Amino acid sequence: MTDSSLAPRRERPVGDYVHDRLFPEDLASLRAWMAEAQQEDELSEAYCNLSNAGYSVPGEPPFTERHLRMMLEILAAARQEPQTRPVDWECLLSGAFRERADAVGQLFDEASAAVKILPFPVGGRR
């Protein structure tokens, strides 16, 4: 029997959890959304939603698995920000994952429970 406190800590616990459960199509959608957001076009919904949350895309295309994991962790952090309302979170998810936004949102819920963080800040909205 191993002590979980002795297990190596993952650098991006939520991002890694979500990444490991996404379908290849989800990862392709995330990559495309990141590429759009990375262009910093003020008319881009991806860019606007991410920058309004106070974040940007890590790295440059072509995006590696490491970049994808980092982006998922950034999305998890954006979700925790006090200024992030549920509608803002839904915009980020629907932009990045299209019709799978609800399913991926559930993965973030599971990941938050697994690493013992709240889906929104204490006293936040939901």
Side-chain angles (χ1 to χ4, degrees):
M1 189 160 129
T2 62
D3 181 351
S4 62
S5 65
L6 299 177
R9 294 190 63 186
R10 296 185 88 161
E11 184 180 336
R12 296 170 294 276
V14 175
D16 288 343
Y17 182 97
V18 173
H19 179 277
D20 293 346
R21 287 156 181 81
L22 291 177
F23 295 117
E25 298 82 15
D26 298 329
L27 296 172
S29 180
L30 178 61
R31 269 192 181 94
W33 180 79
M34 289 170 64
E36 180 186 339
Q38 203 268 339
Q39 293 176 15
E40 299 185 2
D41 177 356
E42 292 181 6
L43 298 177
S44 161
E45 190 173 312
Y47 171 72
C48 289
N49 287 335
L50 191 57
S51 64
N52 285 344
Y55 293 92
S56 60
V57 174
E60 300 281 333
F63 297 112
T64 65
E65 292 299 305
R66 180 174 170 267
H67 291 124
L68 296 176
R69 290 174 187 273
M70 289 170 60
M71 188 74 248
L72 292 166
E73 194 66 30
I74 287 168
L75 288 173
R79 181 181 189 225
Q80 295 296 307
E81 295 291 341
Q83 74 270 13
T84 301
R85 300 168 301 163
V87 67
D88 300 325
W89 175 239
E90 290 166 14
C91 286
L92 288 167
L93 284 179
S94 65
F97 300 103
R98 310 286 181 221
E99 65 277 348
R100 294 243 324 127
D102 289 340
V104 174
Q106 290 175 351
L107 291 175
F108 277 95
D109 289 343
E110 292 171 17
S112 296
V115 298
K116 296 179 176 54
I117 60 174
L118 299 173
F120 284 91
V122 174
R125 306 154 298 271
R126 185 130 210 224

